[in-house]
Amino acid sequence: MNRRTPNGSSPGRQTPNGHAPDRHALVVGAGLAGSLTAVYLARRGFRVRVLERRGDPRTPGVREEGRSINLGLSQRGIVALREVGLLERLAPLTVPMRGRVVHLPDGLRFQPYGLAEDQILHSVLRHDLNVALVDEAERLGVGFDWGHRVTAVDRAKPAVTTAGPHGEEVHTADLVVGADGAFSAVRAHLGRGLRVDLHQEFLEWGYKELLIPVGDDGRPRTELRALHVWPGDDGLIVAHPNADGSLTATVFLPFAGEHGFAGLTEPARVREFFARRFPDTLTLIPDVVEQFLDHEAASLVTVRTAPWHTTTDEGRGVVLIGDAAHAVYPFFGQGMNAAFEDCSVLDRCLAGHPDDLPGALAAFEAARRPHTDVLAELSKRNFVELRDKLRSPLFLVRKKVDLALHRLFPDAWVPLYTLIAHTTVPYGEALDRARKQDRLLGGLAAALTGAALAGLTRRTRGGRRAS
């Protein structure tokens, strides 16, 4: 059995200036949250090593199976990437999305995301973003151990035991960050013997990803600078544009039922379903049946847990971040953005407690957990919006009123979606503000309705007297 710290020496201690090179950090998980955390920690002076059970994503042909390959970068993620100096370098890999194109039986409807020029989302491939983050981490001196599966976590040291190419190894550090996703091994081991709250909820729907290729002429088959949505109570498709002119469509369906994944196993049934439910996809995706049957359906899970961290008397600690702490459904497009905001907030907490790692981890959890719990509820609610409400005339009128009031009072009235996607207002505060606006709008609507009815009554009475 090998024992080592991130740089192969014994664990170092923190120094008051917060930038000493003898502080060691282990990050478990080299996905988006883990690799960005490694970048932040390296910039703050930690010696960092990343442990990842999968292979190097830069290896030709590597693809993250079972994970959405397209992401929508919004303000929270943009701020984090800007802080580490990566935003401009990533710009050529992204496609701006200025709103939603909703595919309805009677045609297409465009719904802008906001009023300002910068109130847009940026579509990016998960793989491209992950590779850029790993490259940047390595440039800063971060080491990566690929093919290392976590088998134990000792929170008293702290230490992480892995099974890897060289057998069993024990890795120790001042700080261990569990960034290993919704089914986090660090979280599972961390909670053993503790009174831990863990809520894990699977949606009864799953998803498959299909490619909308470029046309035979090499041009996009549909509007590229938008998120495309096919709403429906028995099925939903969301498509993100890619830099090469193609789009990646995510098909959400129930697992069970005649029109769910369980019932759509034969080519004829699949073709009939898409022709009836999403007819224009047969033109946009010529091989839609083949792609659909070739891909396995993946699950959608929400995870909430507490606590997120533990510390030792010696001032070391373990903390969860990203999906390991708060996985959410993808329907608000905030999973990656919330994880990136975690990295930024953790960095600020470390800066604010340079000689007090336990204090920094406690401040991080206090700053983030209440708001990511709110995000979980918002993400479930937005599933209903995308699936059902985008077709509702009343809902669309409400959206227009929201934007009109935002145009008239840009600081005083901000729609919930704008607060979530285009600002860094904490999620809980954004929801509280939106609820106050809803009450105000409801009162205004009631007052207008009452005034209209009173006017109608007066006119009616006047007409009777005149007769």
Side-chain angles (χ1 to χ4, degrees):
M1 179 187 297
N2 299 319
R3 293 181 178 273
R4 59 183 177 134
T5 61
N7 71 341
S9 63
S10 61
R13 301 298 301 129
Q14 300 182 71
T15 60
N17 64 16
H19 294 280
D22 63 343
R23 295 187 303 169
H24 302 281
L26 278 171
V27 178
V28 179
L32 300 179
S35 50
L36 181 58
T37 300
V39 169
Y40 270 106
L41 290 174
R43 287 166 58 92
R44 191 146 295 282
F46 282 84
R47 293 185 182 180
V48 186
R49 192 146 208 98
V50 180
L51 310 173
E52 172 56 59
R53 66 178 177 82
R54 291 168 295 198
D56 190 333
R58 297 165 296 185
T59 303
V62 169
R63 184 183 184 276
E64 292 190 282
E65 295 296 335
R67 308 190 69 187
S68 175
I69 61 176
N70 272 82
L71 303 159
L73 186 64
S74 62
Q75 187 64 22
R76 299 168 200 272
I78 288 170
V79 167
L81 292 174
R82 183 182 290 123
E83 286 178 349
V84 297
L86 280 176
L87 186 61
E88 290 187 2
R89 268 188 275 168
L90 287 167
L93 304 177
T94 68
V95 179
M97 298 186 293
R98 304 194 175 279
R100 297 169 178 160
V101 171
V102 183
H103 294 245
L104 299 171
D106 60 345
L108 307 180
R109 301 286 187 278
F110 179 74
Q111 301 172 359
Y113 281 133
L115 303 175
E117 184 66 23
D118 62 345
Q119 288 181 345
I120 61 175
L121 306 183
H122 301 267
S123 178
V124 61
L125 287 170
R126 177 187 293 274
H127 176 266
D128 290 349
L129 183 53
N130 204 169
V131 166
L133 290 170
V134 170
D135 283 344
E136 177 65 8
E138 280 195 342
R139 189 187 70 80
L140 294 171
V142 174
F144 286 82
D145 289 332
W146 307 104
H148 280 252
R149 178 176 56 85
V150 172
T151 59
V153 175
D154 183 347
R155 59 181 178 267
K157 292 189 186 306
V160 177
T161 303
T162 60
H166 307 295
E168 185 175 274
E169 296 183 67
V170 178
H171 315 259
T172 59
D174 294 295
L175 173 63
V176 173
V177 180
D180 50 339
F183 304 103
S184 169
V186 174
R187 184 183 68 232
H189 288 284
L190 184 66
R192 290 181 177 176
L194 296 178
R195 294 189 300 275
V196 172
D197 292 328
L198 176 63
H199 176 78
Q200 182 174 282
E201 178 183 351
F202 284 89
L203 191 65
E204 63 272 17
W205 289 39
Y207 71 94
K208 293 186 178 186
E209 298 221 337
L210 311 177
L211 178 69
I212 300 177
V214 296
D216 295 336
D217 57 0
R219 300 173 62 184
R221 292 174 180 261
T222 187
E223 169 60 43
L224 198 64
R225 295 177 180 268
L227 180 76
H228 289 255
V229 182
W230 289 257
D233 53 6
D234 60 347
L236 167 70
I237 300 179
V238 177
H240 289 75
N242 299 317
D244 65 358
S246 65
L247 294 93
T248 303
T250 307
V251 182
F252 298 96
L253 294 175
F255 278 106
E258 180 183 358
H259 298 134
F261 290 121
L264 297 174
T265 58
E266 300 295 331
R269 292 182 64 84
V270 173
R271 180 169 293 279
E272 186 277 330
F273 174 76
F274 277 90
R276 175 182 59 82
R277 191 63 200 79
F278 308 114
D280 59 340
T281 59
L282 297 181
T283 301
L284 293 172
I285 315 174
D287 60 342
V288 62
V289 174
E290 292 78 6
Q291 286 195 49
F292 184 88
L293 293 175
D294 189 49
H295 295 165
E296 292 293 326
S299 298
L300 298 166
V301 64
T302 286
V303 173
R304 283 181 287 182
T305 190
W308 286 7
H309 79 284
T310 63
T311 55
T312 71
D313 292 339
E314 294 77 25
R316 301 186 178 102
V318 182
V319 67
L320 302 174
I321 202 167
D323 282 358
H326 53 75
V328 297
Y329 297 146
F331 303 110
F332 224 123
Q334 285 296 299
M336 170 194 65
N337 291 287
F340 280 8
E341 192 171 45
D342 283 352
C343 301
S344 176
V345 173
L346 177 60
D347 183 65
R348 292 200 297 273
C349 291
L350 290 169
H353 300 77
D355 56 351
D356 180 14
L357 182 61
L361 300 187
F364 168 69
E365 181 170 350
R368 292 297 289 160
R369 183 157 58 85
H371 297 291
T372 56
D373 285 350
V374 168
L375 176 62
E377 294 305 314
L378 289 174
S379 298
K380 285 196 286 187
R381 193 168 81 179
N382 218 47
F383 170 53
V384 177
E385 176 175 319
L386 289 172
R387 188 187 65 185
D388 300 334
K389 292 186 177 180
L390 290 184
R391 300 171 295 165
S392 164
L394 290 177
F395 176 79
L396 297 180
V397 168
R398 170 58 200 267
K399 284 292 187 183
K400 290 180 180 179
V401 170
D402 245 358
L403 285 176
L405 289 171
H406 183 40
R407 184 181 288 108
L408 291 171
F409 312 105
D411 297 323
W413 189 284
V414 185
L416 176 61
Y417 185 89
T418 301
L419 289 168
I420 297 297
H422 303 309
T423 79
T424 56
V425 173
Y427 295 117
E429 293 179 19
L431 181 58
D432 287 344
R433 182 170 174 177
R435 283 172 172 165
K436 291 176 183 175
Q437 292 176 173
D438 283 344
R439 288 195 294 270
L440 182 61
L441 189 60
L444 179 61
L448 291 174
T449 301
L453 289 174
L456 179 61
T457 301
R458 286 194 298 271
R459 288 194 297 272
T460 302
R461 287 173 178 172
R464 287 174 180 167
R465 285 196 297 270
S467 62

